[in-house]
Amino acid sequence: MGEIFDSVLDVNAKTLHWNFKVYVIRIWEVPSKFNNNEVNSIEMVLQDNKGGRIHASIPRAVANRKWRGVIEAFQMYIMSNFVVLKNTTKTKTYPSQWLLMFSHRTRVNHVENPSFPLEAFHFKTIPDLVTAQKIDENDIVDLIAEVVGKADHRDLVTSKGMETKRLVLELKDLENNRIHCILFGEMVDQILPHLQHERVEPLIVVFQLFKAHRWNGQTSIQSNFNVSKLHINPELKEVVLFRDRLLSGASSNSVRISQMSSQGASSGIDELTVGSAIVKSIDEVLTSTEEGTVWIVGTIVSINAGKEDWFYKSCRKCPKKVETPIGNRYECTKCGHTHGCAALRYKVEIMVHDGTGSINLLLWDRETFQLCGKQAEKVKEEEVTSGDKYPATLDNMMDKRVFFKINVKAANINHYDQLFTIMKICDDYEIIEKNIPVIDTTNPANNVEDNGCSNSLDFSENVVNLNTDNDTQRTMDGMEECISNLKYKTPAKRACSEMKPASNGLNHIEKEGQLSTNKFSRKDSKKQKSLMNEVDN
């Protein structure tokens, strides 16, 4: 009669005499904070023949003396004699509430001939992650996919002052579903050699024990410190099957990894692809009485920025604006992070036109980078040739047709705030063509509100510019020419200085993604009405 082994699903704290035959699914070392030659602990995920999983930990006291380098991943072992503790770790690699703690009495024997097959991964599909109603960021997932896109990696500084790296990848499954993956630290160096632009063979990767993450409605996966692991083109049965299905009947002589124009998960492709997006014309947005998020598609016809107001100084850890440095260091009032120099992030106001009207939108850092192709800090180094013009790189956005997900606030509906905040963008040509709404530009009703007021900018001959000493008639001629250009879709490359109804309010926005921009609008609106009344009188 063979030896009897316990099931990891039956573990409890009532006894110490447990005996398991298990595979080590994942093993990693937690480094010591005080000695680089030692570990603070060795962590493992074990799995038995029933598929049950449990977390095991080897404390520092015995890890450094006995266990380093002894136990290997994907190998089978017989393990016995543990201390059973409540699992208080924040990141749960399995659903059990218990944790197996090694002691000096724990015994481990390697099994040369495994008695049951290895099933190392519990794969989630991309649609499962994208359509999930709720993402618990303490949960861990396995994912297999082909890497089809990459962004430029970035150097970061952690809240503890440690330097690290960040890299965003685009992943695709066999059904052409896509999701973004964010790698940190050593994983960036691990995968970079495999991301050649001329690569024609598929790069298939197993992402083991990654965190699912959702921000601003966009789902992604990201590495989780030492817990996560990359398996790059491994000779595993799951990868062999994936590769065979991927290449069956398909040509493999084209470049498979493209350069991504954005960092982070902000394209909005998934939302538009699955058909959950509400798409409206600009006229419908401007006349809307409902708060919420909607998508619009339009062409960028104007950039409302000067030499120094297209960026802001922010914390290097979070998007919060930082003010005057304390001594020689900046301190963030939101996260408390301090650093010797602030980061530069985009904050650009643009005007978009779609044939039914024009609208002012606020672009933040991620979206501006996606459209321009350069980071704000690099653009700041460019020389501006003359006057108060913004850097020429920002003109890369001009004339681009883009899907914008915007937030319609009460202040927008009540016309206190004419600036709408962008939450996501999508500049994929195929997605735009498939989802663009049908707009009847021949119908005058598209350009007229219910009260008879036009959505296009209208300048009466009685309006006088009180803020300049320039000749009034010449100023109005220049404005009419600028507006005419918008109507006939031949936009000027630089915004006229008079077309900045909301720029002053940008100085009040202190962090990226803040959805309130009406601090300036109420005051400015009353001032403009007062001036109009004076002129009429």
Side-chain angles (χ1 to χ4, degrees):
M1 182 177 179
E3 186 176 1
I4 298 177
F5 299 100
D6 299 308
S7 170
V8 297
L9 298 178
D10 295 331
V11 167
N12 58 69
K14 296 180 180 179
T15 181
L16 302 178
H17 303 292
W18 296 100
N19 189 33
F20 305 111
K21 179 182 280 190
V22 289
Y23 278 108
V24 177
I25 300 302
R26 175 80 177 100
I27 182 169
W28 68 96
E29 295 182 348
V30 179
S32 172
K33 298 179 181 179
F34 310 104
N35 189 339
N36 293 332
N37 296 322
E38 294 186 353
V39 297
N40 190 58
S41 67
I42 300 175
E43 308 296 325
M44 290 176 287
V45 178
L46 310 179
Q47 179 172 295
D48 63 15
N49 63 335
K50 296 180 181 179
R53 290 187 174 186
I54 195 166
H55 192 114
S57 181
I58 307 177
R60 179 178 55 190
V62 294
N64 292 291
R65 287 187 298 129
K66 185 176 181 180
W67 296 109
R68 292 191 71 179
V70 174
I71 302 174
E72 298 179 1
F74 297 166
Q75 295 297 308
M76 179 178 284
Y77 297 90
I78 295 176
M79 300 183 178
S80 57
N81 301 332
F82 298 92
V83 177
V84 180
L85 303 175
K86 282 278 189 178
N87 185 10
T88 58
T89 57
K90 182 178 180 180
T91 302
K92 299 294 191 298
T93 57
Y94 65 97
S96 173
Q97 62 175 321
W98 302 106
L99 179 145
L100 301 178
M101 182 68 71
F102 275 54
S103 70
H104 66 283
R105 297 180 62 251
T106 303
R107 299 290 179 264
V108 176
N109 295 310
H110 182 244
V111 178
E112 296 289 345
N113 300 309
S115 56
F116 56 89
L118 172 65
E119 300 292 341
F121 308 107
H122 291 172
F123 288 120
K124 284 276 191 179
T125 67
I126 294 177
D128 286 342
L129 296 172
V130 172
T131 61
Q133 291 186 353
K134 182 180 179 181
I135 294 292
D136 188 343
E137 296 194 5
N138 291 326
D139 288 343
I140 298 296
V141 300
D142 298 332
L143 185 73
I144 183 171
E146 180 189 5
V147 178
V148 294
K150 71 177 182 71
D152 294 327
H153 71 274
R154 297 179 61 184
D155 295 325
L156 300 177
V157 179
T158 68
S159 58
K160 298 181 180 179
M162 298 179 61
E163 295 184 354
T164 186
K165 297 178 181 179
R166 178 181 184 270
L167 175 66
V168 180
L169 302 175
E170 185 176 23
L171 313 180
K172 184 179 73 171
D173 65 12
L174 295 172
E175 284 73 39
N176 205 33
N177 299 301
R178 300 184 181 228
I179 194 170
H180 282 165
C181 173
I182 307 172
L183 303 179
F184 295 97
E186 294 180 356
M187 286 191 181
V188 176
D189 295 326
Q190 181 184 351
I191 201 169
L192 278 179
H194 301 274
L195 300 177
Q196 306 96 333
H197 285 293
E198 66 276 7
R199 185 185 185 98
V200 296
E201 291 296 323
L203 178 60
I204 302 171
V205 180
V206 174
F207 302 85
Q208 186 181 18
L209 302 183
F210 272 59
K211 290 178 63 174
H213 179 70
R214 180 172 291 165
W215 183 84
N216 206 14
Q218 182 73 22
T219 304
S220 62
I221 62 171
Q222 63 183 38
S223 58
N224 183 31
F225 299 103
N226 300 307
V227 179
S228 303
K229 184 174 178 61
L230 292 177
H231 300 274
I232 302 174
N233 275 339
E235 290 302 319
L236 299 172
K237 61 180 181 181
E238 295 87 353
V239 174
V240 172
L241 179 61
F242 187 98
R243 184 186 294 111
D244 290 344
R245 291 183 58 191
L246 180 67
L247 297 179
S248 59
S251 174
S252 61
N253 58 358
S254 59
V255 176
R256 306 193 71 96
I257 300 178
S258 61
Q259 180 69 30
M260 294 167 56
S261 59
S262 78
Q263 298 188 30
S266 60
S267 68
I269 290 179
D270 293 330
E271 188 173 339
L272 291 166
T273 302
V274 299
S276 61
I278 300 174
V279 183
K280 292 186 177 182
S281 68
I282 291 178
D283 176 70
E284 290 173 322
V285 171
L286 294 176
T287 58
S288 174
T289 58
E290 295 182 1
E291 296 183 49
T293 58
V294 297
W295 287 87
I296 61 173
V297 60
T299 302
I300 299 175
V301 296
S302 179
I303 298 174
N304 191 9
K307 185 176 181 179
E308 298 292 336
D309 60 359
W310 55 270
F311 67 92
Y312 71 101
K313 293 181 179 180
S314 78
C315 172
R316 285 197 170 273
K317 182 183 178 184
C318 73
K320 176 72 173 179
K321 180 181 178 181
V322 294
E323 304 293 346
T324 305
I326 302 174
N328 61 347
R329 299 185 69 83
Y330 287 90
E331 182 174 353
C332 180
T333 58
K334 179 182 179 181
C335 67
H337 179 65
T338 61
H339 200 269
C341 61
L344 297 185
R345 296 179 187 268
Y346 286 112
K347 182 187 65 178
V348 183
E349 182 184 338
I350 61 174
M351 180 178 285
V352 174
H353 183 75
D354 74 344
T356 70
S358 300
I359 190 170
N360 288 335
L361 304 178
L362 181 60
L363 278 170
W364 290 103
D365 190 68
R366 285 191 322 273
E367 294 78 17
T368 310
F369 174 83
Q370 181 174 343
L371 296 174
C372 288
K374 276 189 178 181
Q375 298 175 12
E377 292 181 345
K378 293 182 179 179
V379 174
K380 186 67 172 67
E381 297 174 358
E382 298 179 2
E383 280 194 33
V384 179
T385 55
S386 62
D388 294 330
K389 295 179 179 179
Y390 53 79
T393 298
L394 295 185
D395 279 333
N396 293 342
M397 299 189 295
M398 289 297 297
D399 301 327
K400 281 191 175 182
R401 198 179 199 185
V402 184
F403 255 112
F404 301 92
K405 184 178 183 180
I406 64 174
N407 184 46
V408 181
K409 310 185 299 291
N412 301 130
I413 296 173
N414 296 326
H415 306 295
Y416 294 134
D417 189 351
Q418 300 177 23
L419 188 64
F420 293 75
T421 301
I422 296 171
M423 302 177 68
K424 293 181 185 178
I425 68 172
C426 175
D427 58 353
D428 185 280
Y429 176 79
E430 294 183 359
I431 298 295
I432 292 174
E433 290 300 313
K434 290 180 181 178
N435 292 274
I436 186 171
V438 178
I439 298 176
D440 183 9
T441 57
T442 62
N443 186 358
N446 285 331
N447 295 318
V448 180
E449 297 180 339
D450 294 339
N451 58 9
C453 298
S454 174
N455 285 330
S456 59
L457 297 177
D458 183 22
F459 294 88
S460 171
E461 62 181 0
N462 294 325
V463 177
V464 180
N465 189 342
L466 302 180
N467 297 322
T468 179
D469 294 331
N470 294 339
D471 180 76
T472 303
Q473 186 60 44
R474 297 173 97 185
T475 301
M476 295 309 300
D477 290 343
M479 183 61 71
E480 289 175 0
E481 180 181 358
C482 192
I483 299 303
S484 178
N485 285 336
L486 292 181
K487 290 181 179 179
Y488 292 97
K489 300 183 181 181
T490 56
K493 291 294 182 180
R494 306 277 180 168
C496 301
S497 61
E498 293 85 0
M499 294 177 60
K500 299 181 72 172
S503 61
N504 293 335
L506 295 181
N507 296 327
H508 297 284
I509 304 175
E510 294 187 347
K511 63 179 182 177
E512 180 179 2
Q514 182 172 333
L515 300 181
S516 177
T517 56
N518 64 352
K519 294 183 180 180
F520 67 94
S521 300
R522 297 174 185 267
K523 182 178 178 180
D524 289 354
S525 178
K526 291 179 180 179
K527 184 176 180 181
Q528 291 174 5
K529 289 181 180 179
S530 176
L531 293 175
M532 292 286 290
N533 291 333
E534 291 179 8
V535 173
D536 292 339
N537 293 330

